[in-house]
Amino acid sequence: MTHQPHTSAANTELLPLLEFSSVINSSLDLRFILGTLLLTVMGKLLISKGVVLLKKGKKTFYIENGKGVPKEILRTEFEFPLISKKKISFPDKKYKALQAISSLGINCLYPILSQDTVIGYLGIAEHPQRPVTKEQQKFIDTLINVSAAAIDKGVAFDETKNSNRALDGKIQQLKTLFDLGKEFNGILEQEQLLKMFSLTLMGQVGTNRYAICFKEGKSIYSRIPVDYLEADKHAICELATAPLFTQKIPDKKKYLKLKNHLTKEKIAALIPLELQNEVHGVLCLGERLRKDPYTQGDLEFVYSLANLAFVSLENTRLFQEAVEKRKLESELLIAREIQQGLLPQTLPDVKGFEISGVNISSKQVGGDYYDVIPASDGKFIIVIGDVSGKGTPASLLMANVQATVHALVPVNLSLSEATGRINDLIHRNTSADKFITFFWGALDPLTKIFHYVNAGHNPPFVLRPNGNIERLENGGLILGILKTSIPYEEGNVKLNSGDCVILFTDGVSEAMDVSGHDYTEERLEQFVKGLRHESARVILEKIKNEIQQYALGAPQSDDITLVVFKAL
Amino acid sequence: MSDFKVMVRERNDNIHTLELKGYLDAHTTPVLEDAFQKLLSEKKYRIIVNCKDLSYISSAGLGVFMAFIEDVRAEEGDIKMSDMTPKVFNIFDLLGFPMLYDIVKTEDEAAKKFAEKSVR
């Protein structure tokens, strides 16, 4: 019977310990484990404050749990000068750096050892009037020993949980980027694309304030006033060469106003929008609605997202441009068809003569013109002209000349008078930089006399069977430069059998080879001399081939037009 | 083409429930946007989003909630969510939505939260 009280005393010590052990070892929840440890110690010692510090870095510890202390100090970190495996009591000179802990009222730290290494400390506020007895100390040591393994497990579980969550977060971000990449490819409308981007941005980072400032063009604002940012967008673009937190904008005088404004508008960061390493705009990212700050990782994600959207936006723009261009091209193609329709499709038969003509335009529409028009008096009007400039403006003027020529042919006017009228008309209706070199003549098949006026055009050749060449130079000024004051001079030439007239535009004489040299009229003269016994059609074909051979590899810069007629 | 539907139901406690069904992604977000837009234009600001039959939600879908929450709260209303499957809740949770929104187990629980607030 004498043993009984002893047994019961052992029971009162052991039973709670056993229960404590089974409770904390059945849990993986660190908060619960530490909470139970703290409350048990505090209950046993009748004290009101306790904390548990856990090891984070080599000598860094942080407060993981605490009872009777302000909530704010949780997660506070401390650098330990040395890691003691024995109880530390404050004040202690060596641990002066830990004053912050002692100022909480904590005055001793018990090491928590797992496999003989310190994984943390249990800190308590020992009552000055009731120092911890040896027995209590033993009890605390035992509790800590029993808890150590559970704390270890709990920490590992927490870490796994946290890294799993971080991983889930990353997977979610990647999935978003992947989905959006797919989505953006299918969208061809800018507005729809921006909508999808903004919703994704808002959902992913939890903000509803943002602005997209484009260096060129209209910016986009959501819940942020436009005026200020718009005025300062170039400074913003200059500043944000990489994702930048607003707080980290350098405190230079020139950025001060901008920084203040961004802070006031709750813009947390600037994200550059880049194309080929050049900043084209900046996404101003508003604070989160739930107020927690962005991490560097968040900024990097937003950067990826925003640039994915921006590249797609740019592609959309390029696509629209390509569509516009194609439309324009097809319109030009129609213009070309119309213009080609203005040139003669077939040339009339002229008794006693053989006539050939060709026009090859350098652009889709050109400014060269040639024509052979039968007149009511049995003569044939043969025309060649070259409008200054190229493309659509030149072709419009050419169409105008064509109409005027056709209108004047039936009118009973001399060539000189008619030329004067065309000149005045062009002069009146076009600016000074628009002019036309123009040559025309009336061929009489009966008399075989060719009556002509040359208004500044490359003088046509008259190629005689003996190889002599004469130039048809009589006339006057280029059309469209000055009002007609001196009448255009007329010239005439008698064409005998075998005589051939070659009309050409400067696209022939000024055709360029790859090194930029002109073909020249001299060279053309030499070339056609060798063709003097050929038919008009063969002469035309051979000149055409010669010019195309000469200019092989170089881009054709001007229209090429040729008219050849020969007396049979 | 993914399938997504929103059903609007008027409860008898001056609360409107949006029942989401299907796959809420970039394609289908306009459907939800329109539904919110319509409620707001009718000045109905007490909204429960019942997610019982919501099988997936993308970031763009979550963005719709962000787009409207400030306007709704400015009118003393709220958007509360209920009946999420664990999979859907996980997405809301990962992106920190529980810190901004009441996300509860059942629609009635959400309605009760509205009631509590109006008593206060």
Side-chain angles (χ1 to χ4, degrees):
Chain A
M1 282 309 268
T2 46
H3 289 285
Q4 229 170 2
H6 183 76
T7 315
S8 112
N11 274 349
T12 51
E13 290 284 306
L14 268 179
L15 275 177
L17 263 182
L18 275 175
E19 199 192 312
F20 174 78
S21 169
S22 83
V23 164
I24 60 167
N25 277 304
S26 65
S27 172
L28 284 171
D29 183 349
L30 193 59
R31 215 175 127 203
F32 173 77
I33 294 167
L34 297 179
T36 310
L37 173 63
L38 277 169
L39 290 176
T40 311
V41 171
M42 287 159 68
K44 180 77 183 174
L45 301 186
L46 298 175
I47 51 170
S48 59
K49 273 181 197 166
V51 292
V52 175
L53 293 127
L54 289 181
K55 194 172 178 182
K56 193 178 186 187
K58 213 170 162 206
K59 286 185 172 174
T60 320
F61 289 77
Y62 71 96
I63 301 182
E64 165 68 34
N65 207 327
K67 302 284 175 195
V69 291
K71 241 186 180 173
E72 294 71 49
I73 61 142
L74 292 180
R75 324 238 42 110
T76 316
E77 294 181 8
F78 299 94
E79 285 294 316
F80 275 54
L82 64 103
I83 297 166
S84 168
K85 286 186 187 173
K86 295 212 174 91
K87 179 183 168 188
I88 304 164
S89 296
F90 297 115
D92 184 320
K93 274 188 199 154
K94 275 184 284 180
Y95 288 95
K96 244 185 166 168
L98 301 183
Q99 225 171 9
I101 298 181
S102 61
S103 71
L104 290 170
I106 304 295
N107 51 20
C108 57
L109 296 177
Y110 290 87
I112 304 170
L113 290 159
S114 170
Q115 290 163 14
D116 209 33
T117 28
V118 176
I119 58 165
Y121 288 97
L122 170 75
I124 55 167
E126 200 179 297
H127 200 284
Q129 266 84 54
R130 290 196 309 273
V132 175
T133 63
K134 275 219 164 114
E135 213 169 292
Q136 284 173 327
Q137 174 128 4
K138 233 171 106 189
F139 178 74
I140 296 173
D141 286 342
T142 313
L143 278 186
I144 291 177
N145 277 338
V146 169
S147 313
I151 294 173
D152 244 0
K153 262 193 300 179
V155 168
F157 183 71
D158 252 22
E159 274 170 7
T160 314
K161 217 166 67 184
N162 285 342
S163 56
N164 272 343
R165 197 180 156 83
L167 195 65
D168 277 356
K170 280 279 168 228
I171 290 172
Q172 154 75 22
Q173 287 187 349
L174 281 179
K175 188 165 160 36
T176 298
L177 282 179
F178 180 73
D179 280 356
L180 230 57
K182 236 173 23 184
E183 220 51 68
F184 282 170
N185 277 338
I187 299 179
L188 296 171
E189 260 173 55
Q190 201 167 332
E191 211 170 306
Q192 200 188 345
L193 207 147
L194 277 169
K195 176 112 217 168
M196 191 166 296
F197 164 68
S198 66
L199 283 178
T200 304
L201 179 74
M202 289 196 281
Q204 189 78 34
V205 304
T207 185
N208 59 2
R209 301 170 69 87
Y210 64 87
I212 306 172
C213 302
F214 291 119
K215 232 177 189 171
E216 312 287 341
K218 214 173 142 222
S219 304
I220 295 151
Y221 297 88
S222 167
R223 292 173 197 267
I224 293 175
V226 179
D227 316 352
Y228 186 86
L229 282 186
E230 198 58 30
D232 243 4
K233 66 182 180 183
H234 286 278
I236 296 176
C237 290
E238 180 195 305
L239 195 60
T241 49
L244 178 69
F245 283 107
T246 304
Q247 308 156 337
K248 289 195 179 159
I249 294 176
D251 278 317
K252 284 184 189 161
K253 205 176 163 197
K254 64 170 173 174
Y255 297 136
L256 215 60
K257 220 175 110 198
L258 176 67
K259 191 174 175 177
N260 283 339
H261 184 81
L262 293 177
T263 313
K264 200 183 110 217
E265 289 301 339
K266 297 182 188 160
I267 291 166
L270 303 176
I271 313 285
L273 302 170
E274 295 170 324
L275 271 186
Q276 280 144 11
N277 284 330
E278 203 190 311
V279 178
H280 286 251
V282 169
L283 167 71
C284 304
L285 184 64
E287 282 175 7
R288 289 196 224 260
L289 232 53
R290 53 174 193 266
K291 301 291 177 208
D292 53 326
Y294 292 108
T295 63
Q296 192 64 39
D298 290 330
L299 287 206
E300 274 154 26
F301 168 76
V302 174
Y303 175 75
S304 309
L305 185 72
N307 280 282
L308 185 70
F310 183 58
V311 168
S312 305
L313 213 58
E314 188 61 15
N315 283 342
T316 308
R317 197 181 61 78
L318 290 177
F319 178 78
Q320 299 288 18
E321 247 178 44
V323 169
E324 288 296 314
K325 201 173 160 223
R326 188 163 300 175
K327 216 168 105 189
L328 196 69
E329 272 169 8
S330 85
E331 275 170 11
L332 275 175
L333 211 65
I334 296 169
R336 178 193 169 89
E337 273 171 31
I338 294 172
Q339 194 201 15
Q340 288 290 322
L342 298 180
L343 296 173
Q345 306 306 302
T346 52
L347 297 180
D349 284 333
V350 182
K351 207 179 163 212
F353 285 86
E354 187 208 350
I355 303 189
S356 264
V358 70
N359 165 268
I360 308 160
S361 67
S362 63
K363 299 218 162 162
Q364 283 189 327
V365 286
D368 275 12
Y369 170 52
Y370 80 95
D371 219 338
V372 179
I373 310 157
S376 53
D377 56 4
K379 291 176 187 167
F380 288 85
I381 309 297
I382 298 168
V383 192
I384 192 162
D386 182 358
V387 175
S388 68
K390 284 167 199 146
T392 319
S395 72
L396 280 174
L397 191 48
M398 174 262 180
N400 211 334
V401 172
Q402 188 262 1
T404 313
V405 168
H406 277 260
L408 285 175
V409 167
V411 180
N412 194 13
L413 282 177
S414 72
L415 267 183
S416 169
E417 284 171 306
T419 311
R421 288 220 186 162
I422 299 175
N423 177 53
D424 286 344
L425 194 81
I426 307 280
H427 174 67
R428 256 204 320 274
N429 295 316
T430 61
S431 56
D433 60 335
K434 290 272 172 295
F435 53 83
I436 301 163
T437 70
F438 184 81
F439 175 98
W440 65 344
L443 177 65
D444 188 337
L446 296 176
T447 61
K448 300 199 175 195
I449 287 177
F450 186 52
H451 209 67
Y452 71 89
V453 168
N454 186 343
H457 194 78
N458 306 54
F461 297 164
V462 179
L463 178 63
R464 308 286 187 189
N466 62 6
N468 277 351
I469 288 183
E470 293 154 36
R471 308 291 298 266
L472 305 180
E473 289 173 331
N474 292 347
L477 259 182
I478 294 173
L479 303 184
I481 302 241
L482 287 174
K483 203 168 170 296
T484 313
S485 50
I486 313 159
Y488 282 87
E489 195 189 330
E490 291 180 11
N492 55 67
V493 60
K494 172 91 186 350
L495 301 172
N496 297 311
S497 175
D499 288 345
C500 176
V501 181
I502 301 167
L503 302 89
F504 57 93
T505 56
D506 60 8
V508 175
S509 54
E510 289 170 16
M512 265 186 245
D513 66 4
V514 271
S515 42
H517 294 112
D518 281 2
Y519 184 75
T520 71
E521 290 191 8
E522 290 70 33
R523 192 159 169 177
L524 184 64
E525 267 188 46
Q526 287 310 311
F527 182 70
V528 297
K529 269 183 192 170
L531 304 174
R532 60 187 186 273
H533 301 304
E534 306 287 355
S535 70
R537 155 140 238 105
V538 171
I539 293 172
L540 180 124
E541 284 301 323
K542 288 209 164 164
I543 297 173
K544 195 178 97 186
N545 291 342
E546 162 83 354
I547 295 305
Q548 282 173 339
Q549 274 301 313
Y550 180 79
L552 202 66
Q556 188 191 339
S557 60
D558 206 351
D559 293 2
I560 291 171
T561 305
L562 280 164
V563 180
V564 179
F565 61 95
K566 191 167 190 173
L568 298 172
Chain B
M1 193 69 201
S2 42
D3 208 20
F4 177 75
K5 272 191 194 122
V6 179
M7 284 255 298
V8 186
R9 178 157 46 78
E10 184 170 1
R11 294 167 54 97
N12 51 14
D13 44 10
N14 191 24
I15 294 172
H16 286 76
T17 299
L18 295 181
E19 285 180 12
L20 312 190
K21 191 182 165 95
Y23 204 85
L24 179 54
D25 64 4
H27 282 295
T28 52
T29 43
V31 181
L32 182 59
E33 267 192 290
D34 292 348
F36 270 117
Q37 204 75 66
K38 189 159 181 289
L39 283 182
L40 264 63
S41 69
E42 292 164 1
K43 302 198 184 304
K44 288 162 184 157
Y45 303 114
R46 287 150 62 93
I47 304 165
I48 297 174
V49 181
N50 187 323
C51 304
K52 186 161 67 83
D53 296 318
L54 182 64
S55 49
Y56 172 80
I57 183 163
S58 76
S59 297
L62 294 169
V64 178
F65 294 102
M66 296 301 298
F68 290 104
I69 188 67
E70 259 193 340
D71 298 337
V72 168
R73 287 190 181 155
E75 300 288 345
E76 305 281 306
D78 199 11
I79 302 172
K80 301 184 194 291
M81 299 142 197
S82 74
D83 298 87
M84 283 182 193
T85 62
K87 195 181 137 200
V88 167
F89 176 74
N90 191 38
I91 302 171
F92 275 90
D93 186 36
L94 271 176
L95 298 180
F97 274 63
M99 288 165 79
L100 267 181
Y101 298 83
D102 283 327
I103 302 179
V104 293
K105 289 258 184 310
T106 65
E107 201 185 308
D108 284 341
E109 214 177 309
K112 215 183 278 171
K113 279 194 177 270
F114 271 116
E116 278 166 23
K117 208 196 160 210
S118 12
V119 169
R120 245 182 275 155

